[in-house]
Amino acid sequence: MSRQPLPDIPSPCVGICTLDPETGLCHGCMRTGDEIREWPRADNPRKLEIVQALRERRIASGRVSASDLRPRRRRRG
């Protein structure tokens, strides 16, 4: 059984695009400058890695939403 390809992953940008000089993270989406530059060329598996890293950063910083705290379902197959 082959795996289904990932659907297109939308950009995590929220329109508050300034990098914190101390952390190097965007104030809005919490991506690094490198992740922001990489996003348009990244394939979906890489985008998923970035989104998962953002979730961990939000949790670590206390900037969480209900969806960040929800357990993730395991992929069947």
Side-chain angles (χ1 to χ4, degrees), residues 22-37:
E22 291 180 24
T23 66
L25 299 176
C26 175
H27 286 286
C29 66
M30 298 189 80
R31 287 182 290 173
T32 65
D34 288 341
E35 290 167 341
I36 292 168
R37 282 186 292 278

Side-chain angles (χ1 to χ4, degrees), residues 5 8 14 18-19 25-30 47 55 60 71:
D8 284 338
V14 295
T18 56
L19 293 179
L25 299 176
C26 175
H27 286 286
C29 66
M30 298 189 80
K47 287 179 179 180
R55 177 178 182 253

Side-chain angles (χ1 to χ4, degrees), residues 44-64:
N44 275 343
R46 176 61 183 136
K47 287 179 179 180
L48 183 60
E49 289 174 6
I50 293 170
V51 168
Q52 289 171 332
L54 296 178
R55 177 178 182 253
E56 292 171 12
R57 287 180 200 146
R58 285 192 303 271
I59 290 170
S61 72
R63 289 176 51 184
V64 296

